[in-house]
Every structure is written in structure tokens, then in C-alpha cells.
Amino acid sequence: MANDKPNQPQDESRRRFLKYSGTALGGVVLGGVIGGLVGANVKQTDKDETAEPGKSGTAAENKDYNQALMFFSQDQFTTAEAAAERIFPADDSGPGAKELGVAFFMDHQMVSQYGYNARDYMLPPYYKAEETQGYQLIFKRNELILLGLEAMNQYSNTKYQKPFAEIAPEEQDAVLTAFEKNETGIKDFPATNFFAMFLNLTMEGAYADPLYGGNRNMAGWKMRNFPGNQMSYTDYIEKEEFVKLEPLSLHDHLELG
Amino acid sequence: MATKLPKVPVVIVGMGWVGGIIAAELTKAGISVVGLERGKSRDTQDYYHVHDELRYAARYDLMQDLSKETVSFRNTMKMRALPMRTYGSFLLGEGLGGAGVHWNGQYYRFLPYDFEIHSKTVERYGKSIIPENVTIRDWGITYEQLEPYFVKYEQMAGISGEKELPSNIGQMSTPFATAAMKKSPAMKLFEEASKKLGYSPYVIPSANLTEPYKNPDGIERAPCQYCGYCERFGCEYGAKADPVVTVLPVAKQSGKLDLRTHANVTRIIHDGKKATGVTYVHTPSGEEFTQPADVVIMAGYLFTNVRLLLLSKLGKPYDPQTDTGSVGRNYAYQINGASTSAFYEDREFNLAMGAGALGSSIDDFNGDNFDHNGLKFLHGANIRFTQTGLRPIQYQPVPAGTPKWGAEFKKATIHNANRVLSVTGQGASMPNRYHYLDLDPEYKDAFGQPLIRMTFDFEDYDRELVKFIAGKTKGIADEMKATKTEVHDSIKQYNIVPYQSTHNTGGTIMGSDPKTSVVNNYLQMWDADNVFICGASNFPHNSGYNPTATVGALAYRTAEGVQKFLEKGGSLV
Ligand SMILES: Cc1cc2nc3c(=O)[nH]c(=O)nc-3n(C[C@H](O)[C@H](O)[C@H](O)COP(=O)(O)OP(=O)(O)OC[C@H]3O[C@@H](n4cnc5c(N)ncnc54)[C@H](O)[C@@H]3O)c2cc1C
Ligand code: SF4
């Protein structure tokens, strides 16, 4: 009957998990798996996998084939990348949205369940909402973002005679501010909703697990000293001093066949 | 036409903490139970790759799929309710274990004052202290009566806590099952500051196990690793007490539980006096079934509990205009918003590390532990510092006045990522005549059935509570050796957009008066004695605490009531 207990290791996958978790689970005898497996070291990050392009190896080896577009057009991508970089710019603390791959993250998210609002309540009727009632538009996120990027270029073309990606950084900030405050003068466009979503996506792209295409090389996490995906902090939780750990990602926890 | 299945002694709607506890207790006693859960099955292995903030915390992977059913909301009766289209204020559980899979595990027994709030308030201050339209009432059960059931939950879940608790909270007949959580440096700062001010801090009792533990049912679990992915995540160690690793294996092992997932219950079938069973849709096939039973147990969280009663026309719907009826009455929530942030220029803390229930708190301003004369609110708040594990997408700490994006924002969030400690109040929510649940007249679920509609707002007495409690959080934070502190002391209207708390209460409240309550103190329905309804929907008000300790105790009480009923029949009170 022991195998009926779902909280006990019953198969290879549980054993592997415990091995990679690198944790000491006290003296518990978990379905007969003791010592040896529990407490093994966490798999080390493979240096080559995280190396920056061009730094080592041939260009072809280091090409990130995930950096391609599922949803945006080239222009939409360029606009999104430029806007995200102003929201989360490169500075002395580390890379900005562009280097982190935030626009690729956005692109990929737009064809996910999130972009299609697949798990949101989308049934009619639609009415104008009070602020306390939240998002009430028939528009899906991946429709809203395209409309928003287009509106940014339209606004920028009118005001500066150039598309958004080509105007000066201060001008880009002025455009973004106009959207944030809903002062674009563009009729029937929910600029504030768009901006809030775009801002949110930028933060997600900077800090989500690199598996989603942003937070390249975990550089977003490193800036904040966020250790990412570790299995145990039991040994550190009482420590007075700040503990810096090399971050780990979900990739480091997957056993490849 | 629905397919009629063979009759069973007991059918349970919803397999979260409440459904799981009741299923375990009844099956252990040899009673056959059918458990209906509309979500999918789950086990610990599903969480080996769970440390993913985007998927679980930002995209709500484990929560109810709102495309199929949500809640509609308005602040007042004058407004048109609109559906909660995407998550915000609270997060609904779905699937085996319900919200018990992705809770934090902060464990607080409600105060003795809570259960007799009306009589104790009137006794000390007179009736006039109760704000207009506030409908507090005694629960029809006392702390002493509920005490043995708290113990059952604590032993089952392996709840950890200090040996000695402050005298201003409910006393325990049996000590906690395991030792208290470890103390982080930030918790020590909070405790030292509180003591200096004469308060009585204690480590938050926790359902994140602190040592290897074997419970009375023989279930063994491993301790918490302070992994920092707890709230909104499942625990890959089985260290967080969750129905799937505690009560459900016991029920399954008995051989008496017939668990059916993807079973969405749509009606309680009844003849006006007794229920005869429930109707459900097996969602993958769309096929409809009726499951006849001697006893129907509603354990689907308050929105389902209230909604199915109303859809099935069982019990009397509450009408706020005439103040009559009971189903949907006394919806309450949690009054958060009082807090103080302490900024440290000279040091950093390991804030990515933590556990759902790691923290320390005080109750010196909770319940009636302080004099309310001259104050314009009742009850109070548990004031706490918690270290639940701060993750970078959803945590962007900045001092007031920082822009919301751009260079300055980035600099401030990175600088402050590990430098801010928050002292917060978790405020009690008093029921109000005009805060209630009923069926939405317009919006429907994926089956074409009306959504539940919530009418709720913050009132002046809530704003007073926040102001008062915020002052106390500032007092503590100011003693925590920070470089500077920033107080947050005002709330406006209730807004369904920002996350606040999944501590929704009321709607099928318990009590001793069949006119104004839905169930008696065995959680047995006044209007149909073979229907038991259990969950935070039974709370006539919400305390300044997380609800699940009290929910768990009520579930054990329900299980006992059902057994009595199966033996004797009739009303249990
Ligand atoms: C993020 C988060 C953190 C929390 N932290 C804490 C904490 O630290 N401390 C604390 O005390 N509490 C906490 N809570 C609250 C706690 O999770 C709940 O109080 C508790 O899990 C409720 O248990 P329940 O069985 O009543 O309901 P649920 O867990 O919601 O279970 C109800 C089940 O019924 C099913 N169901 C619903 N309708 C139907 C239907 N029509 N047919 C079939 N099945 C149905 C649902 O799918 C669900 O599985 C937290 C909640 C959340 C979301
Ligand atoms: S913090 Fe502890 S209880 Fe919570 S998920 Fe991590 S190991 Fe499990």
C-alpha cells in the first residue's frame, strides 16, 4: 500500500527530483530512499549554455534560435523593443530591456493563453466600467498591443515626423508619458490600459525565468541579487549577513534525456 | 436527460480542505463517500518545476479558470455589477486540494471574542458602539466548544508554533504538533521592537512543516525548505500541509472514497424539506448525472456554496431592502491597507528566502484586546511582519514619489530589492446590511447559469480601522533600526483590481436563529436537515486573521455532525 501515498517517492521521477533538489530532508525515510540520493549537489549550470553570443565558440553555435518572431512584425518588434528599453533602460546596474530580450518575451507571450485571454471571462455584454471593476474590454491583449504599438508610431509620426524607434530618448519618454496619462488625443483608444499592460509585460520580461525568452542569461535576476530557482534555503534563513548565490533557472532543474 | 446513479450515503461538493477533511473523517468511520471536484487531479509530482513566478504567480496556473465561471461585482446596490474578467483582489481554488494547494499556511485560531462578538461588545460598551448597518452577531458556538476541533486540525496538519502563546489570544488544550518556524533576522527586529513597546510578539503558527512529522493517521511528511515559492505555488516537498498530502490519501486508503474529478455540480436536488442528491456535469464528455445521496455536503468555497443554494432555490435568499432571508447575508472580507515600510540603507536582508507562513505577529490591537471607547470602529487587526519569499516580477519596492518606470524607477527597485521590511495589519471585516451575495441578473457561466454577484465596499469604520492600525505599524517600524519609514494609512473604495486577500467570508452564515442564519452550529442547514454547508461561508464576520484554522475546525465539527445525523436523523440542535 505504500505506493498509494502520493507524498512518498514511488518512481524514478521523484528520485531524480530529490537528487537535483540538493536538499537535506532531515532524517525522513522517504519510501526507502535515504541519504545517497537526498543531499546530492545541485546540477551545475553548463557554462556554454549561458555564454554570451560572440564571446566564445563560433557564431553559429551561439545563435539563439528562440530569438525569432511568433507574433510581431519586424516593425512592431522594433517599436516594442525601443519602448521597453525606455521603461527599463540599461544603466550602471546592468542591462536594459533590449539586452534582456524583453521584446522577444512579449512576442512569445502574445501567442500564449495570456495573449488570447484564454483563461479570462470574455462573455458579453460589455459596459463601461467604474475604476473599481477592472478591465472590461472585448479586446484581447494581443489585439490591444498591436493597436498600441501602432498608436505610438502614429503619435510619434505626427509630433516628431519619425516613427517611435527613431526619435530621441527624451522624445520617446514624452510619448510614453502621453500614453500613460491618456493624453494622446487619439480617439477611442484606451491608452492607459495599453500602457499598464505594456509596463507589466516589460517587468515580466526582465524578471521571468529565462525559459520565456526574456531575462537573458538571468541578468535581470543578477542585478537584484535574486537567486532564481533554488531548492532550499534552510541553511541560510537565520543568517544575519546577506547571502549572494549564483542564480539557477528552471533549465538547471530539468534532466535532459 | 441526466443519468441517475446508484444512491450513496454521502456526496461532497468540492474537494479542498473542507471536502478533504470531511471525506477523511467519514471514510475512516466506514461511511461511503462520493467526492465531486470540478477541477483536475493533482499530486506532489506536479510541482517539481513549480519555481516559476510567471506561470504560477502572474498567470495563476493553479487557480479557477475564469473563462468558465467568475464572480460579478459592484460597490453598491446603485451600480451595475460587472464580471471580474481577470484575477485581481482574490484568487479562487480549483482542482484536487482547492486553494489548500497554493495557500501560505499561516495558521491562526480565531479569538474567543470572535465567536461571541455581539454579546461581548454590547457587554463592554453598550449597543451604541456598533456602527450603523453593521450586522455583527454571535456565531452560535463558543471558542471553548470549537477548541477540540482546532486540535484535530493541528495534529493532522502538523501545525508548528511556540510552546507559550500570549495570554491575549485563545488558549490551547494541546500544544502545537511541531516546533515553531526558524527566526530570520528581520523577524527578530520586529519582535524586539514590539517587545520594547510592551506588546507580545510570537512566531506565526504555520502549516509549513518544521520537522519530519508523522500524524495520527500515519501520514509522514518532510520539513519546509524555506524555498520562497509558497503563496500561489504547490509544495514539491509535501512540506506545506495541503489536502492532497494529508487528508485525501487517508480517505483514498480507506477504500470508501469514490473521487470524481472534472465533475461540475450544477444543482442540489430537493423537495423543499430534504435534499435527495445533486446534479453534475462531467465536463470532458458534457454528460449530465444525478447522484442521489442521504446527505449532501457543500464544500465548494463560499461563492459556490451560496450560488448553488440560490440556483437550486434552497433556503431563503437574503433581501437587504427588507433585511429578511439568510442565503447571501453578511459577506465580509479582509481590511488590509494599513502598513509601514522600513527602508535600510546600511544592510540587506535575504528576502528572496522565506516560507508562506514565516513571520511574527502581535494581537495587542486585534479583537477586543484594547479599549475601543472613543474609536469609530470595532475589532482590529493582527499586526505582522512576514517573510514569504519576495520575487522580482511582483515585488518592485520604491520609496514614495519614485516614478513608475524609467531610469529612476529601475535604479530604485534594484537598490531596494532586499532593503525594505513591511509591517502590516490584517484587519477584521465587519458585516454590513448592504454587503451581500446574490445571483447576477445578466451575466452567466459557461453553462448558461447566472454568476454569483457580490455587492461590497469599504465603509468609514474600515477607513478608521486602517488609520488606527497604520499608526501602530509605524510605531513598531520606527523601533526597527531602519534608515527611514513610510506609513500607508488610507484606503478608498474597495477595488477588485489589486490583489488583497483570498479571505472572502459569509453568505451561508452559522448562528442560533434560523431566521437570520443558514446553518446551525453543526453546519447543518436549518431548512433541509440532510444538507451540511461548510467553509468560510459560515463566518458571520471575518476576524483580523487568516481563515483556514477556523474553517478546518468547522470541517471537523461538520464531519461529527454528519455522523450523528446518519445515526439519529433530524436536527442536531
Ligand atoms: C494565495 C492564497 C494564500 C492563502 N493563504 C492563506 C493562509 O496563509 N492562511 C489561511 O488561513 N488561509 C489562506 N488562504 C485561504 C485558504 O486557501 C482557504 O481558506 C482554504 O483553502 C479554503 O478551503 P475550502 O475547502 O473551503 O475551499 P477551496 O479550497 O476553494 O475548495 C473548494 C473546491 O471546490 C471545488 N468546487 C467549487 N465549485 C464546485 C462545483 N460547482 N462543483 C464541483 N466542485 C466545485 C473547487 O474547484 C475547489 O477545489 C489563502 C488563499 C490563497 C488563494
Ligand atoms: S516554503 Fe516550505 S512549505 Fe512553502 S513551498 Fe517552499 S518548501 Fe514547501
Side-chain angles (χ1 to χ4, degrees):
Chain A
M1 285 304 281
N3 276 358
D4 285 340
K5 291 188 184 171
N7 53 328
Q8 301 209 344
Q10 29 190 291
D11 62 12
E12 255 324 283
S13 124
R14 175 71 174 166
R15 274 177 244 275
R16 279 204 305 272
F17 162 71
L18 287 171
K19 184 168 159 201
Y20 292 114
S21 73
T23 53
L25 296 180
V28 204
V29 180
L30 289 150
V33 189
I34 335 167
L37 293 177
V38 184
N41 280 335
V42 174
K43 188 177 162 192
Q44 281 307 307
T45 316
D46 187 333
K47 290 272 174 328
D48 284 341
E49 285 165 352
T50 53
E52 280 172 43
K55 293 271 163 70
S56 71
T58 66
E61 266 172 36
N62 288 309
K63 223 186 222 176
D64 183 348
Y65 290 95
N66 190 262
Q67 293 210 331
L69 301 178
M70 300 176 184
F71 179 74
F72 288 147
S73 67
Q74 175 73 60
D75 282 354
Q76 289 158 349
F77 173 80
T78 308
T79 309
E81 188 173 61
E85 180 67 18
R86 290 316 300 157
I87 289 175
F88 200 77
D91 62 6
D92 339 327
S93 54
K98 183 171 178 184
E99 201 180 324
L100 289 169
V102 167
F104 287 108
F105 168 88
M106 288 183 185
D107 171 77
H108 299 358
Q109 282 297 301
M110 287 302 121
V111 286
S112 74
Q113 50 93 355
Y114 177 75
Y116 283 100
N117 298 61
R119 298 182 75 232
D120 291 340
Y121 184 85
M122 296 300 275
L123 298 176
Y126 290 85
Y127 294 106
K128 201 173 150 15
E130 297 295 329
E131 207 185 301
T132 57
Q133 294 175 302
Y135 188 83
Q136 294 291 337
L137 297 170
I138 194 164
F139 240 55
K140 291 182 178 153
R141 293 186 183 92
N142 62 17
E143 295 173 305
L144 184 62
I145 201 164
L146 293 189
L147 203 66
L149 295 171
E150 192 186 308
M152 272 169 40
N153 277 325
Q154 183 193 332
Y155 184 84
S156 167
N157 277 325
T158 313
K159 199 154 176 199
Y160 305 104
Q161 290 75 51
K162 274 188 215 156
F164 181 84
E166 289 169 30
I167 56 178
E170 308 76 62
E171 293 168 340
Q172 290 177 331
D173 288 354
V175 175
L176 289 168
T177 306
F179 278 71
E180 181 185 21
K181 305 211 163 124
N182 207 7
E183 288 164 358
T184 61
I186 301 175
K187 263 192 79 189
D188 298 330
F189 172 65
T192 307
N193 278 325
F194 161 73
F195 185 83
M197 176 180 77
F198 194 86
L199 172 58
N200 208 27
L201 278 164
T202 306
M203 302 321 295
E204 290 176 348
Y207 292 128
D209 191 283
L211 97 90
Y212 295 98
N215 188 16
R216 204 142 195 259
N217 298 324
M218 301 186 284
W221 289 349
K222 286 177 192 159
M223 275 187 279
R224 276 175 71 134
N225 285 319
F226 181 71
N229 175 354
Q230 311 278 339
M231 297 316 293
S232 176
Y233 296 124
T234 304
D235 295 342
Y236 307 121
I237 194 73
E238 291 166 309
K239 283 216 156 60
E240 283 291 331
E241 65 273 23
F242 186 68
V243 181
K244 275 192 193 174
L245 296 170
E246 256 313 285
L248 290 170
S249 72
L250 282 166
H251 178 81
D252 300 315
H253 291 272
L254 182 69
E255 198 180 357
L256 299 164
Chain B
M1 251 322 269
T3 308
K4 195 167 172 181
L5 299 165
K7 187 172 173 185
V8 294
V10 174
V11 64
I12 305 180
V13 180
M15 279 301 188
W17 266 128
V18 173
I21 289 170
I22 298 173
E25 290 304 291
L26 296 181
T27 54
K28 279 196 280 179
I31 299 163
S32 292
V33 170
V34 167
L36 300 176
E37 166 55 51
R38 70 176 165 194
K40 63 186 172 194
S41 185
R42 290 201 278 228
D43 76 35
T44 314
Q45 290 185 38
D46 296 335
Y47 313 130
Y48 292 176
H49 291 264
V50 84
H51 289 191
D52 183 340
E53 184 184 10
L54 185 75
R55 175 172 171 188
Y56 293 96
R59 303 283 184 264
Y60 317 108
D61 194 86
L62 297 173
M63 285 88 182
Q64 179 176 313
D65 181 349
L66 297 182
S67 72
K68 296 181 180 141
E69 186 185 321
T70 187
V71 173
S72 75
F73 159 71
R74 55 183 183 171
N75 291 101
T76 65
M77 291 171 72
K78 286 192 206 99
M79 272 166 76
R80 185 204 303 271
L82 296 179
M84 175 174 83
R85 296 195 179 272
T86 191
Y87 277 115
S89 179
F90 48 85
L91 306 171
L92 302 168
E94 182 176 86
L96 210 56
V101 166
H102 50 74
W103 70 318
N104 283 0
Q106 299 170 8
Y107 179 90
Y108 290 104
R109 293 174 170 201
F110 277 16
L111 298 163
Y113 168 73
D114 282 310
F115 301 99
E116 297 167 88
I117 187 169
H118 187 263
S119 23
K120 288 195 175 190
T121 303
V122 173
E123 189 186 309
R124 183 165 174 187
Y125 307 102
K127 266 198 169 140
S128 62
I129 195 160
I130 302 175
E132 199 189 348
N133 296 325
V134 165
T135 52
I136 48 167
R137 62 192 72 236
D138 294 352
W139 290 35
I141 198 163
T142 62
Y143 177 85
E144 288 68 30
Q145 284 175 298
L146 208 52
E147 211 279 337
Y149 307 96
F150 281 121
V151 175
K152 283 191 182 190
Y153 186 90
E154 287 151 15
Q155 298 300 313
M156 175 274 296
I159 301 296
S160 75
E162 293 188 10
K163 283 211 178 70
E164 301 257 327
L165 288 172
S167 58
N168 59 10
I169 61 177
Q171 296 305 296
M172 299 172 59
S173 64
T174 311
F176 285 118
T178 53
M181 299 286 278
K182 292 177 190 288
K183 259 187 219 180
S184 71
M187 284 160 73
K188 286 186 194 150
L189 282 173
F190 172 86
E191 292 202 359
E192 282 156 20
S194 305
K195 277 193 197 139
K196 203 164 156 194
L197 294 165
Y199 309 149
S200 307
Y202 61 101
V203 173
I204 297 176
S206 160
N208 313 137
L209 211 51
T210 53
E211 53 194 73
Y213 178 68
K214 183 171 177 176
N215 80 6
D217 294 317
I219 295 285
E220 284 182 80
R221 287 160 48 225
C224 170
Q225 303 295 315
Y226 301 86
C227 81
Y229 289 81
C230 204
E231 176 172 22
R232 303 189 182 192
F233 303 84
C235 179
E236 63 271 52
Y237 297 99
K240 168 160 66 177
D242 134 11
V244 180
V245 297
T246 53
V247 286
L248 287 169
V250 174
K252 279 186 194 161
Q253 247 167 27
S254 72
K256 295 270 177 192
L257 174 67
D258 178 353
L259 180 63
R260 301 179 198 153
T261 47
H262 301 292
N264 190 57
V265 178
T266 49
R267 285 290 187 282
I268 305 165
I269 316 161
H270 63 93
D271 62 11
K273 291 199 190 79
K274 266 191 190 311
T276 54
V278 299
T279 305
Y280 71 92
V281 178
H282 175 243
T283 44
S285 63
E287 214 179 323
E288 202 176 37
F289 294 94
T290 59
Q291 177 59 67
D294 293 321
V295 173
V296 171
I297 299 171
M298 297 302 301
Y301 201 59
L302 76 168
F303 298 118
T304 284
N305 290 355
V306 174
R307 182 168 176 260
L308 287 188
L309 288 182
L310 294 173
L311 285 173
S312 312
K313 300 196 178 352
L314 186 58
K316 292 171 202 72
Y318 173 60
D319 179 354
Q321 305 286 12
T322 56
D323 198 10
T324 56
S326 55
V327 180
R329 198 185 256 281
N330 280 31
Y331 173 79
Y333 193 43
Q334 200 83 70
I335 308 303
N336 293 341
S339 72
T340 301
S341 311
F343 290 79
Y344 294 80
E345 281 309 316
D346 54 341
R347 68 179 292 191
E348 290 182 273
F349 299 87
N350 295 307
L351 297 178
M353 308 177 185
L358 184 64
S360 299
S361 66
I362 62 159
D363 287 314
D364 299 81
F365 302 99
N366 201 359
D368 200 27
N369 288 343
F370 58 107
D371 188 1
H372 285 72
N373 274 308
L375 298 175
K376 295 195 190 96
F377 63 92
L378 295 176
H379 215 299
N382 171 268
I383 295 175
R384 65 251 298 282
F385 165 75
T386 58
Q387 189 167 340
T388 58
L390 294 172
R391 295 169 297 268
I393 294 174
Q394 300 197 312
Y395 181 61
Q396 307 288 343
V398 288
T402 310
K404 291 201 172 66
W405 53 276
E408 218 183 302
F409 167 81
K410 182 187 176 199
K411 215 168 148 202
T413 55
I414 288 173
H415 178 72
N416 289 304
N418 297 297
R419 291 181 194 275
V420 185
L421 306 181
S422 284
V423 178
T424 59
Q426 176 161 242
S429 173
M430 295 302 102
N432 185 297
R433 175 171 172 176
Y434 298 105
H435 301 167
Y436 68 106
L437 302 172
D438 66 353
L439 292 176
D440 192 279
E442 195 161 15
Y443 288 97
K444 309 268 194 295
D445 71 2
F447 296 99
Q449 301 297 316
L451 297 182
I452 193 81
R453 173 171 70 176
M454 175 202 298
T455 306
F456 179 72
D457 211 347
F458 294 144
E459 303 292 338
D460 283 341
Y461 49 82
D462 297 319
R463 288 181 270 272
E464 291 286 333
L465 180 146
V466 165
K467 207 159 91 195
F468 177 87
I469 295 296
K472 302 299 170 192
T473 64
K474 175 131 181 14
I476 296 171
D478 282 344
E479 292 292 335
M480 282 170 60
K481 305 189 176 110
T483 318
K484 65 163 180 177
T485 61
E486 257 176 30
V487 65
H488 310 279
D489 62 0
S490 74
I491 53 169
K492 296 190 182 93
Q493 273 191 299
Y494 173 63
N495 183 329
I496 203 154
V497 181
Y499 183 74
Q500 290 152 69
S501 165
T502 309
H503 304 164
N504 317 81
T505 63
T508 71
I509 66 174
M510 61 193 294
S512 43
D513 178 1
K515 278 210 212 64
T516 55
S517 59
V518 177
V519 292
N520 64 29
N521 70 19
Y522 276 103
L523 301 313
Q524 177 187 32
M525 202 174 172
W526 294 113
D527 289 346
D529 62 14
N530 68 339
V531 176
F532 289 75
I533 307 166
C534 185
S537 60
N538 300 136
F539 297 4
H541 72 272
N542 197 14
S543 185
Y545 281 141
N546 312 60
T548 310
T550 305
V551 169
L554 291 177
Y556 278 101
R557 171 92 178 167
T558 307
E560 190 182 303
V562 172
Q563 288 180 62
K564 282 192 183 184
F565 177 80
L566 285 171
E567 282 158 26
K568 286 191 270 171
S571 173
L572 297 171
V573 297

